[in-house]
Amino acid sequence: FRPSLDATLCLDLFSNGAIAVPGMGTVDDLHFGAKKCQPETAPTQRLTFDRYMSRFCVSSRPDICVQEAALGTHLRLRLPNSMHCLSYAGGIRTLKEEGCDPTDERQMWLYDASTLVFRHAAHPTGCLDFFVAHDSFGVWTCRQLHDVNSQQQFLFDEENDRFCLVSDRSKCVQEATSPLLY
């Protein structure tokens, strides 16, 4: 792996030696870092792709992993047939519809195509969720990939130009980023 800004560097796993962990004994203190890439020196560890978790893990230590962090561009979202954007005021709650404002961070979302969830751009631990009891979209804590809630997963419906819940294709949001919507 190489960073896009400096292709002379490679990702590698380094050890700070062994540390004592109560109840676990002695374990290696490992961390990822960068080093100069040179043809004669290969990285010390091999990484394998875990397709179920969408991440790369050290072959000899599958508990040590890296995952793509780029989630894409900021998007504003709206309900179909609405001219207002979904706005998040913090906490676990339903969303409000407000006039679309390209400078309002409460209206910014990132779509994570690997997990099919919308994360709030300013609060990435909060994901767009459908609250069945309220028949409304809201924000709930993002689930881990192995525990993803189908009320948080959205697939793009190309024919109708919108993202719909995996669990209920009638519950959808649309991108509201276009200046033509204002």
Side-chain angles (χ1 to χ4, degrees), residues 1 8 12 21 45 51 54 56 63 72 76 85 89-91 117 124 133 143 145 153 155 157-159 161 175 180:
F1 290 96
T8 66
D12 205 355
V21 177
Q45 299 288 331
R51 67 185 179 105
S54 298
F56 291 89
D63 59 318
R76 288 182 302 284
C85 288
V117 299
R143 307 290 174 98
L145 188 57
Q153 291 184 302
L155 287 172
D157 175 357
E158 195 168 337
E159 183 178 324
D161 192 35
E175 184 179 349
L180 300 174

Side-chain angles (χ1 to χ4, degrees), residues 125-142:
T125 59
C127 285
L128 185 63
D129 196 303
F130 188 75
F131 297 170
V132 176
H134 299 283
D135 194 34
S136 181
F137 287 102
V139 171
W140 194 264
T141 303
C142 298

